[in-house]
Amino acid sequence: MSLKEGPVAPKKRAPALPTTEGAIRRSGRRAKPVIEFPQPKWTEWKDPDSFTNAMTLHMKRHGDSGRHLCRAVSDAEATLDPHTIRKWCSGEAIPLTVQSFQILHRIERRYGLPNYYFKARVPRQNLAARGHVLEDISPSEQRRYAWHLPDDFIFRPIEEQEEILAWVKRNIIMGSTEYRRYQAAAARHRFGLRFRGIRSGRKIPDSAPEDETQSDRDEEALVGSVKAPARLEAEMSELLQFKTSTLTAFGLQRNGVWGRETAAQKVEHLGLMFGALVASKSGPVRGYGATMKSLTFALLLFPAVWDWYLQWRETRRGFYTAWEVDMLVVGLSLVREETGWLRQNPELGDHLCVLPGLVSQKDILAARRDWNAACDMMYRHGRNRIKEIQRVARVHRDPFEPILPILEAESPVAEYRKITEEILRLMPDEQRYPKSAAEAVRAYLMLRLGLHLGLRQKNLRELMVCPRHQMPRSERQLEDMKRGEIRWSARENGWEVMIPAIAFKNATSSFFGAKPFRLMLPDLGGLYGWIDAYIDRHRATLIGPSVDPGTFFVKTAKKSSAEAAYNQTTFYEAWRLTIQRYGIYNPYTRRGAIKGLLPHGPHNVRDVLATHILKQTGSYEQASYAIQDTPDMVAQHYGRFLPQDKSALAAQILNRVWEAA
């Protein structure tokens, strides 16, 4: 009988599997039982370099499908979707969250692999894991902390989390030097006057950029909190015109010219002094409490005003430093015979008002009656104060402290080079993450060029670029720009850096002899390849739609920062960020190159170079060649050449006698 001719017999169902009470019976194939530590099918293999191949290999070794692996490593705290495993194995996605890295740790444990086996093969090593939740910390601060937290941070005990956060804040975010703590406290109550239309203030980074001519730099001076009154601002403009113009006004004389950076610095420091005078006596700054309308540069003519300010600074800091000496030098230049700007403008005396305890009506009348005599008295008083302060001045900011682990090494340059190697180790995949790769290459070249050239921050930051097969700028053009250039030399078949002497702060130094600085970069460690890649691809990625400033180093274009050119502060921050991410060894993330290192800026590279050559040769003259300066400047400010270093160098020569015997 055909099927159509009669009823179809019902199919017999397979007998139900025995179940425990409360269990849900499911039809179909029984799931493979989960074994916590499955035995591998083979025990010898060759480790793949890529995360995708490593994951696929070890899943096959242990007979795990994506679905079965998910069941084996998921729980209430962290779950894994089978589709995620499939994307990891195909290369469509990679782990990026703290939960993903927690799952990877469980897979490593399941397969008997070393900790961080898979994490080390994830291509995006230079970005922090997503998903860290830090209570009582703002989102912007969380982004700064995220890079320095271990992937399993949120799974660790609360006490351990607090310990990690405290370590990161102390050693990476803030730095632990005494001067940094002073800066942080001083920055809470800023009072320096801000001069509109005059470059007197800059945004504060975590630590103020170093100034190689001063032992200290005040945090309050960088950003004024109060607008200067119109009359004082007009006087400041006249002073800047006098000190920065190419030619002095008819009838005036001057001694020396301020460059752009020097002028900005003097505006900051004078704004700080006037700000202290008008700050409230009862406020946290504990200033003098003068009125705004009483402010005038003519006040700098009176010794009592200077004594009040010097003593106020000593009380605030706890001791005198070279900063007070530098301020007095500025004051003396204003009243110097024949060339002082204040001496040549006696009409400023008409703006004077009585300041109880500092400037009386009698003092004002005497100054107006004999302006030159008042200037002479201030000049004599200032010179005596300089001698007295120099005798008791202390160094507050030790410029060597952040880089002591490097300077104490036998080869400081080799020790600093470890940071560049760490950048290459964590270099992201350019195809997947072009902007992150560009930023890493930029950081690498910043440090490499800094170590090869030994330039000041300004000269390195303003270095122009001329790509291959383009006509380089002439020396005259660079002199007019007061900048250097990195360009390809067809004659030497290599990249060279050429900087006119006038672009240097110490242009009149005997080192230059009115000749330009020219140096061929060595093609060591693939340097030329990185320079070519940066100029050809990475630099354009960083600039994006912004206007090309023509400099070699450019910022990453963002909505909040459309300009691609670096300034003093942003370049310092970029260098400091590189040290925070790649330089400081973090025991919790196992990233970073050097234990005990602290955040610092580009100027410290000059200390590294000078100290390295001193340790190798003992010659201050050769050390000065590396940083385009004089032996005296190296001895006073740069080289950390301790007695034991000198003795060890001499012993090397003396020991040869015994070795030859």
Side-chain angles (χ1 to χ4, degrees), residues 7-299:
V8 177
K11 292 183 178 179
K12 293 183 179 181
R13 294 186 179 179
L17 295 173
T19 60
T20 57
E21 186 178 355
I24 299 175
R25 292 190 303 176
R26 298 179 182 273
S27 61
R29 193 173 179 181
R30 172 184 277 187
K32 180 181 176 182
V34 173
I35 301 174
E36 186 175 6
F37 301 111
Q39 291 298 318
K41 296 180 179 180
W42 63 90
T43 57
E44 294 184 2
W45 72 91
K46 183 178 180 181
D47 271 335
D49 293 331
S50 71
F51 168 75
T52 296
N53 293 339
M55 181 64 70
T56 303
L57 168 68
H58 291 288
M59 286 177 63
K60 288 181 178 179
R61 284 183 62 235
H62 294 83
D64 277 345
S65 66
R67 186 176 298 277
H68 182 69
L69 182 59
C70 290
R71 291 177 57 218
V73 298
S74 297
D75 61 13
E77 287 186 352
T79 60
L80 182 63
D81 187 272
H83 294 292
T84 302
I85 285 285
R86 179 183 58 79
K87 290 183 178 180
W88 285 357
C89 292
S90 66
E92 298 177 52
I94 59 173
L96 290 175
T97 65
V98 292
Q99 290 82 4
S100 296
F101 290 123
Q102 177 70 359
I103 290 291
L104 286 184
H105 178 67
R106 295 179 184 180
I107 297 175
E108 290 163 355
R109 181 172 176 271
R110 173 177 172 80
Y111 293 160
L113 299 171
N115 289 339
Y116 306 103
Y117 176 87
F118 289 118
K119 174 66 164 48
R121 289 162 174 77
V122 175
R124 200 171 190 179
Q125 292 286 323
N126 74 323
L127 288 185
R130 301 172 187 169
H132 290 296
V133 179
L134 308 177
E135 296 181 359
D136 303 324
I137 296 182
S138 65
S140 60
E141 286 183 303
Q142 289 192 32
R143 289 192 293 271
R144 297 170 64 193
Y145 276 88
W147 171 270
H148 310 289
L149 301 180
D151 301 329
D152 60 348
F153 175 79
I154 63 175
F155 302 103
R156 298 194 182 196
I158 297 298
E159 297 77 11
E160 195 171 348
Q161 291 184 17
E162 292 175 350
E163 174 190 326
I164 294 172
L165 287 174
W167 186 91
V168 170
K169 181 177 182 180
R170 181 177 63 254
N171 294 280
I172 297 180
I173 303 299
M174 298 299 296
S176 59
T177 66
E178 177 188 355
Y179 185 64
R180 292 189 192 281
R181 290 192 289 271
Y182 165 77
Q183 283 182 315
R188 296 191 188 104
H189 308 289
R190 299 206 180 103
F191 52 88
L193 295 188
R194 182 173 69 253
F195 292 87
R196 298 178 297 274
I198 299 175
R199 185 171 173 263
S200 60
R202 294 189 290 274
K203 176 182 175 289
I204 294 286
D206 294 326
S207 172
E210 304 97 326
D211 189 303
E212 53 268 23
T213 63
Q214 294 179 295
S215 60
D216 292 302
R217 200 184 157 95
D218 275 83
E219 189 80 356
E220 312 101 309
L222 292 176
V223 174
S225 58
V226 182
K227 293 181 180 179
R231 186 179 66 196
L232 185 67
E233 186 165 6
E235 293 177 4
M236 178 66 81
S237 297
E238 291 180 14
L239 172 61
L240 290 178
Q241 177 67 22
F242 172 76
K243 293 296 293 183
T244 61
S245 61
T246 304
L247 300 175
T248 56
F250 179 75
L252 298 180
Q253 299 183 62
R254 69 179 176 191
N255 180 25
V257 179
W258 287 348
R260 183 180 58 184
E261 297 295 328
T262 301
Q265 184 188 80
K266 302 309 179 189
V267 170
E268 291 173 348
H269 294 175
L270 290 169
L272 178 60
M273 182 175 183
F274 287 118
L277 286 171
V278 297
S280 172
K281 291 182 178 180
S282 58
V285 177
R286 298 188 179 278
Y288 175 79
T291 61
M292 282 287 190
K293 66 179 181 180
S294 66
L295 294 183
T296 172
F297 270 83
L299 290 174

Side-chain angles (χ1 to χ4, degrees), residues 610-655:
T611 302
H612 180 91
I613 294 180
L614 285 173
K615 284 191 170 187
Q616 301 299 319
T617 67
S619 170
Y620 284 96
E621 185 175 12
Q622 290 190 42
S624 70
Y625 295 161
I627 59 174
Q628 308 91 44
D629 225 312
T630 62
D632 288 341
M633 286 296 291
V634 171
Q636 294 176 26
H637 298 287
Y638 292 103
R640 189 176 187 271
F641 198 35
L642 301 178
Q644 59 264 32
D645 299 321
K646 300 173 184 178
S647 299
L649 191 62
Q652 291 179 11
I653 300 175
L654 297 175
N655 291 343

Side-chain angles (χ1 to χ4, degrees), residues 485-549:
E485 182 180 69
I486 179 171
R487 69 267 193 100
W488 180 259
S489 172
R491 182 180 60 185
E492 302 289 342
N493 196 33
W495 287 100
E496 72 168 0
V497 173
M498 208 286 282
I499 308 176
I502 195 173
F504 289 87
K505 182 177 182 179
N506 57 332
T508 58
S509 168
S510 59
F511 174 85
F512 295 103
K515 300 294 191 298
F517 169 85
R518 179 179 278 108
L519 181 70
M520 291 297 304
L521 294 171
D523 189 15
L524 301 174
L527 179 60
Y528 283 12
W530 289 112
I531 292 176
D532 290 334
Y534 178 76
I535 294 176
D536 294 342
R537 305 189 305 276
H538 298 303
R539 188 172 172 277
T541 300
L542 295 171
I543 295 174
S546 301
V547 177
D548 189 343

Side-chain angles (χ1 to χ4, degrees), residues 297-523:
F297 270 83
L299 290 174
L300 305 184
L301 196 66
F302 299 98
V305 173
W306 281 97
D307 281 353
W308 175 87
Y309 183 54
L310 295 173
Q311 292 168 14
W312 174 86
R313 287 190 60 85
E314 190 272 340
T315 301
R316 181 175 176 84
R317 191 186 293 259
F319 48 86
Y320 290 110
T321 70
W323 200 95
E324 285 74 45
V325 174
D326 292 332
M327 277 299 295
L328 279 170
V329 170
V330 174
L332 295 187
S333 70
L334 296 177
V335 297
R336 184 180 289 114
E337 187 176 1
E338 295 184 356
T339 60
W341 175 78
L342 195 56
R343 184 185 285 263
Q344 298 177 79
N345 288 275
E347 65 276 7
L348 295 176
D350 297 338
H351 303 158
L352 286 168
C353 300
V354 173
L355 295 182
L358 297 183
V359 181
S360 65
Q361 186 64 33
K362 181 180 178 181
D363 295 331
I364 295 174
L365 292 175
R368 289 173 177 170
R369 184 169 54 252
D370 194 339
W371 191 257
N372 285 329
C375 290
D376 291 337
M377 181 175 63
M378 175 58 214
Y379 193 81
R380 290 192 298 270
H381 178 81
R383 294 193 63 176
N384 291 333
R385 284 286 183 262
I386 287 176
K387 295 177 182 178
E388 292 172 336
I389 292 176
Q390 284 177 333
R391 188 172 60 251
V392 298
R394 292 168 51 187
V395 175
H396 198 173
R397 180 181 70 84
D398 181 0
F400 301 137
E401 189 170 2
I403 56 172
L404 274 181
I406 294 174
L407 299 183
E408 291 174 348
E410 184 177 349
S411 175
V413 170
E415 193 71 9
Y416 207 91
R417 178 189 171 187
K418 293 179 181 178
I419 307 176
T420 64
E421 295 170 349
E422 181 73 356
I423 297 174
L424 295 181
R425 185 179 75 85
L426 300 177
M427 184 74 67
D429 183 358
E430 182 184 350
Q431 300 302 318
R432 282 178 172 269
Y433 314 106
K435 184 166 290 188
S436 298
E439 291 174 342
V441 174
R442 178 185 61 195
Y444 174 78
L445 290 176
M446 274 187 180
L447 270 59
R448 282 294 304 265
L449 265 62
L451 286 169
H452 286 297
L453 300 174
L455 299 173
R456 289 180 173 84
Q457 194 230 75
K458 173 179 177 291
N459 299 115
L460 188 61
R461 164 171 46 94
E462 295 182 348
L463 194 66
M464 307 299 288
V465 60
C466 177
R468 292 199 195 206
H469 312 302
Q470 287 191 17
M471 181 67 66
R473 296 173 179 85
S474 66
E475 185 176 337
R476 179 62 178 272
Q477 288 176 305
L478 294 175
E479 286 180 348
D480 293 339
M481 300 171 67
K482 293 185 178 180
R483 295 188 175 196
E485 182 180 69
I486 179 171
R487 69 267 193 100
W488 180 259
S489 172
R491 182 180 60 185
E492 302 289 342
N493 196 33
W495 287 100
E496 72 168 0
V497 173
M498 208 286 282
I499 308 176
I502 195 173
F504 289 87
K505 182 177 182 179
N506 57 332
T508 58
S509 168
S510 59
F511 174 85
F512 295 103
K515 300 294 191 298
F517 169 85
R518 179 179 278 108
L519 181 70
M520 291 297 304
L521 294 171
D523 189 15

